[in-house]
C-alpha cells in the first residue's frame, strides 16, 4: 500500500491478511497493522470519490475489493466501550468508524433527495452499476452477530433505512438490497425493519418483502416459526391482490412443514375476519380453509 493508486495494490495479499487477521494479530507490529487498516479505511469510506465506491461492477477489481470489504467487517468483534491498545480492539474500532461513515453517507443521500442539500453520496443509480451496492453486504455481514447488530443500532443505520422506507419508492433499490442482506433468524432490529417494509406505501417493495418471506422460510423453517407465520397472516390483509396471492402461495408452501402447520392452525381464529372484508378476501379465506382441511388430522397437534 505504498502507493495511493489502489489499482496497483496487491489485492489478493490484502484479502489474505484481512482473513487471517485473528492469527496475525499477535505476530504483527500493532502500529504497522494499524497503518495498514487506516489506509484501507480511507479507500473503503463512501466519501472517497476515487476509492471503493467508484469502482464499476464490471471492473476486474470489483469482486476482490468486495470480498476485502466483507473481510474488513469481520474485524468488528468487540463492543465500542472496551478500550485497549491491542491491535484487535483498534481494528474493531476502525471497522466501526467505517460503519459510521456509511451511515453519514446514507444520511447525506437522504438530505440531497428530500431537501436538495449537497450531493448524494450513495445514489440509487450507483447501486446498479458501482461497488457502492456492496456497502449493504457490509451491513448484512454485521447483522449475523450480536456485536454487529449492536454496532448497526448505535450508528443509527436502521434510523436511516426507516427514513428511506417513508419516502415511497425514492429509495426502493436501497431498501431491497438492505432487506436482501440482513439476517432475520433472531429477534431484533433487522426483523423490525422487515416488518416496517411490509407496511410501506410502495406496493412493489411490499411485494418484494412478501416474496422474501418465502426465501427465509426455505432457508430455515424452524427459525421461521411463529414470527414468520404472524407476518404471513398479516400480509393477507394487504390492500393489493398481487401481494395477497403471493402470501397465499407462501402459506401453501409453509403448510408442507408439520411444525408450521401447528403454528398456523393455532392462529386460525385470527383469519376469520377475512370473510367479512370483501368477496375477494372471502374467496381467499375459503381457499386457505380448503388447504388446511387437506392436511391429515394426525399431522395436527391435539390442542
Amino acid at each position: 500500500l505504498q502507493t495511493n493508486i489502489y489499482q496497483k495494490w496487491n489485492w489478493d495479499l490484502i484479502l489474505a491478511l484481512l482473513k487471517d487477521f485473528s492469527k496475525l494479530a499477535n505476530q504483527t507490529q500493532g502500529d504497522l497493522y494499524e497503518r495498514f487498516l487506516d489506509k484501507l479505511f480511507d479507500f473503503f469510506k463512501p466519501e472517497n470519490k476515487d476509492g471503493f465506491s467508484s469502482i464499476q461492477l464490471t471492473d476486474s477489481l470489483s469482486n476482490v475489493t468486495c470480498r476485502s470489504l466483507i473481510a474488513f467487517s469481520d474485524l468488528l468483534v468487540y463492543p465500542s466501550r472496551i478500550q485497549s491498545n491491542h491491535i484487535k480492539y483498534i481494528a474493531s474500532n476502525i471497522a466501526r468508524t467505517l460503519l459510521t461513515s456509511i451511515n453519514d453517507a446514507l444520511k447525506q443521500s437522504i438530505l440531497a433527495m428530500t431537501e436538495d442539500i449537497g450531493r448524494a453520496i450513495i445514489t440509487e443509480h450507483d447501486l446498479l452499476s458501482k461497488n457502492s451496492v456492496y456497502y449493504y453486504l457490509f451491513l448484512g455481514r454485521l447483522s449475523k452477530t450480536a456485536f454487529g447488530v449492536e454496532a448497526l443500532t448505535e450508528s443509527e443505520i436502521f434510523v436511516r433505512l426507516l427514513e428511506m422506507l417513508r419516502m415511497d419508492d425514492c429509495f426502493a433499490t436501497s431498501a431491497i438490497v438492505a432487506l436482501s442482506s440482513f439476517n432475520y433468524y433472531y429477534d431484533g432490529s433487522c426483523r423490525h425493519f422487515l416488518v416496517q417494509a411490509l407496511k410501506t406505501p410502495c406496493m412493489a417493495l411490499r411485494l418484494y418483502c412478501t416474496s422474501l418471506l418465502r426465501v427465509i422460510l426455505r432457508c430455515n423453517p424452524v427459525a421461521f416459526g411463529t414470527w414468520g407465520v404472524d407476518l404471513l397472516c398479516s400480509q393477507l390483509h394487504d390492500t393489493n391482490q398481487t401481494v395477497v396471492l403471493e402470501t397465499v402461495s407462501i402459506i401453501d408452501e409453509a403448510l408442507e412443514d408439520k411444525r408450521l402447520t401447528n403454528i398456523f392452525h393455532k392462529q386460525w381464529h385470527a383469519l376469520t375476519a377475512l370473510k367479512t372484508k370483501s368477496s375477494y378476501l372471502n374467496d381467499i379465506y375459503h381457499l386457505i380453509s380448503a388447504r388446511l382441511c387437506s392436511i391429515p388430522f394426525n399431522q395436527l397437534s391435539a390442542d
Side-chain angles (χ1 to χ4, degrees), residues 11 28 45 98 197 202 251 258-259 266 301:
W11 280 104
T28 310
K45 62 184 181 183
L98 177 58
C202 178
I251 289 175
K258 180 179 178 180
R259 294 158 297 192
K266 292 176 182 178
S301 58

Side-chain angles (χ1 to χ4, degrees), residues 93-279:
N93 287 331
I94 292 175
R96 194 180 296 272
T97 303
L98 177 58
L99 179 59
T100 301
S101 180
I102 293 173
N103 176 69
D104 292 341
L106 294 177
K107 185 176 182 179
Q108 176 56 41
S109 298
I110 293 172
L111 287 174
M113 175 69 73
T114 57
E115 302 179 24
D116 198 23
I117 298 176
R119 175 184 66 89
I121 297 177
I122 302 177
T123 69
E124 295 291 276
H125 180 267
D126 285 345
L127 296 181
L128 302 176
S129 59
K130 295 183 179 180
N131 262 16
S132 53
V133 68
Y134 294 135
Y135 287 127
Y136 288 101
L137 287 184
F138 178 87
L139 304 180
R141 182 76 165 191
L142 291 175
S143 72
K144 73 172 187 174
T145 66
F147 287 146
V149 173
E150 178 184 330
L152 289 170
T153 303
E154 289 178 353
S155 64
E156 298 187 339
I157 286 292
F158 289 108
V159 174
R160 303 285 87 78
L161 294 176
L162 291 173
E163 288 175 357
M164 290 178 174
L165 289 182
R166 290 193 286 270
M167 298 176 65
D168 199 5
D169 61 348
C170 293
F171 287 96
T173 303
S174 295
I176 286 173
V177 176
L179 287 161
S180 302
S181 303
F182 285 137
N183 184 331
Y184 300 103
Y185 291 123
Y186 51 88
D187 195 19
S189 300
C190 294
R191 283 190 183 180
H192 177 69
F193 176 55
L194 175 59
V195 170
Q196 296 306 308
L198 287 166
K199 302 175 183 177
T200 182
C202 178
M203 189 281 292
L205 187 53
R206 294 202 313 277
L207 179 59
Y208 178 84
C209 294
T210 304
S211 298
L212 182 62
L213 292 177
R214 188 194 301 274
V215 177
I216 300 172
L217 165 66
R218 289 179 177 179
C219 289
N220 194 331
V222 176
F224 190 76
T226 302
W227 78 273
V229 172
D230 284 343
L231 290 180
L232 288 175
C233 291
S234 66
Q235 285 307 94
L236 288 172
H237 298 273
D238 195 277
T239 56
N240 183 271
Q241 292 188 7
T242 305
V243 174
V244 174
L245 286 175
E246 176 68 5
T247 304
V248 171
S249 175
I250 300 171
I251 289 175
D252 180 53
E253 184 172 332
L255 290 177
E256 295 295 331
D257 188 288
K258 180 179 178 180
R259 294 158 297 192
L260 295 180
T261 299
N262 286 323
I263 294 173
F264 191 81
H265 184 247
K266 292 176 182 178
Q267 298 184 9
W268 181 245
H269 65 280
L271 298 179
T272 55
L274 289 174
K275 294 189 295 183
T276 60
K277 287 199 170 185
S278 69
S279 59

Side-chain angles (χ1 to χ4, degrees), residues 17-30:
L17 289 172
L18 289 173
K19 285 186 172 182
D20 291 336
F21 173 75
S22 59
K23 299 177 183 178
L24 299 173
N26 296 322
Q27 307 171 16
T28 310
Q29 286 181 291

